[in-house]
Amino acid sequence: MNRNSKQAEKFFRYSHPTEGKLTLPKAVFIYMLGGALGTLWEIIFNLVKLHRYVECSGSVFSPFNPVYGSGALVIVFCLKKFRQPWQVFTFGAVAGGAVEYFLSYCEETILGTRSWNYTGWMMDINGRTTVPIMLVWGVLCMFVVFLLYRPLDKFFERLPQKTFRILGICFLVLLVADMTITSCALFRYVDRAKDVPPSNPFEVWLDTVFDDDFMGHRFPSMRIR
């Protein structure tokens, strides 16, 4: 075994029984970090491309983009045990593209909307993802697995575990509440575009608080089909 192999093996050796295990609190914080970094990336991308600030969180309350948050969880869950960069890159590119395709399909099927469309891009796959974007996912996966997840995992293990679990549960409740309200607001956004009136006080509240101006600002790339 050469020196590089020994260093890689040492890097991947866990010193704590629960290191490397994706527990619920770890999953919550990884989702939040991935979602926040994804939102930041989208903001920077639009600043460079469009020369203006564009809201990209995909949520009515939080800064945690669910596409990137879900992608981070899939990356960690599927790839955390791989040792070689080429393995992480290859499987990460496929998994990242699959997640992006699946979420796009679910959004269009359930809500009748499209938040991204790569039609016309080089080597696009039904407009839901593209091969170049999948390669970007592969690079991103290497960053997440080798430079982000492992140091975070060790850091999480050093925290007081009872406090860590309580915080994880509290943030999970907030995330579930956020996504529930976001989903309801999106359904009403689509229904309003189809001239469907509110059927109960909760929908009236949604129409008042999350009106078309708010939703258009919060989901600027969403197109109702």
Side-chain angles (χ1 to χ4, degrees):
M1 184 180 294
N2 58 36
R3 182 179 178 182
N4 291 336
S5 298
K6 289 181 179 179
Q7 290 177 339
E9 186 66 28
K10 181 179 180 180
F11 180 75
F12 280 95
R13 187 183 301 121
Y14 292 113
S15 59
H16 191 280
T18 58
E19 281 187 9
K21 293 183 179 180
L22 188 60
T23 61
L24 178 62
K26 290 179 184 178
V28 170
F29 283 99
I30 288 171
Y31 174 91
M32 292 169 61
L33 181 60
L37 290 176
T39 296
L40 179 61
W41 159 252
E42 289 287 341
I43 289 173
I44 294 173
F45 178 81
N46 282 288
L47 283 173
V48 173
K49 182 180 179 181
L50 305 176
H51 306 291
R52 62 186 177 89
Y53 174 82
V54 178
E55 180 63 53
C56 303
S57 67
S59 164
V60 296
F61 292 125
S62 77
F64 310 122
N65 188 297
V67 175
Y68 288 91
S70 301
L73 282 180
V74 171
I75 290 170
V76 170
F77 181 78
C78 296
L79 307 179
K80 61 187 177 67
K81 292 185 178 180
F82 284 118
R83 266 61 170 175
Q84 300 299 325
W86 71 266
Q87 294 174 317
V88 173
F89 176 82
T90 302
F91 287 94
V94 174
V99 169
E100 192 170 36
Y101 190 103
F102 175 74
L103 291 177
S104 173
Y105 175 81
C106 288
E107 179 188 344
E108 185 172 10
T109 302
I110 297 172
L111 292 174
T113 63
R114 290 284 292 270
S115 292
W116 62 89
N117 191 340
Y118 296 112
T119 299
W121 288 44
M122 182 175 61
M123 303 176 73
D124 75 282
I125 303 175
N126 293 335
R128 303 188 189 281
T129 189
T130 74
V131 172
I133 291 295
M134 291 173 66
L135 297 179
V136 173
W137 276 108
V139 174
L140 179 63
C141 287
M142 290 196 296
F143 170 79
V144 170
V145 172
F146 293 117
L147 300 179
L148 192 64
Y149 170 67
R150 288 192 60 81
L152 270 179
D153 187 60
K154 294 180 181 297
F155 171 74
F156 289 150
E157 290 297 334
R158 295 189 180 99
L159 298 176
Q161 290 304 297
K162 184 177 180 180
T163 302
F164 184 50
R165 286 192 295 270
I166 292 174
L167 286 174
I169 292 172
C170 290
F171 279 112
L172 177 61
V173 171
L174 292 176
L175 288 172
V176 170
D178 175 39
M179 293 312 299
T180 299
I181 297 297
T182 297
S183 298
C184 293
L186 284 171
F187 276 115
R188 279 303 303 154
Y189 185 39
V190 173
D191 284 346
R192 285 197 302 272
K194 299 177 181 178
D195 296 323
V196 178
S199 60
N200 55 63
F202 178 64
E203 291 187 347
V204 173
W205 177 77
L206 289 173
D207 288 352
T208 303
V209 177
F210 309 109
D211 59 16
D212 289 349
D213 288 339
F214 178 91
M215 297 299 287
H217 173 75
R218 204 69 177 177
F219 302 89
S221 61
M222 177 174 286
R223 299 294 179 266
I224 300 174
R225 300 174 69 86

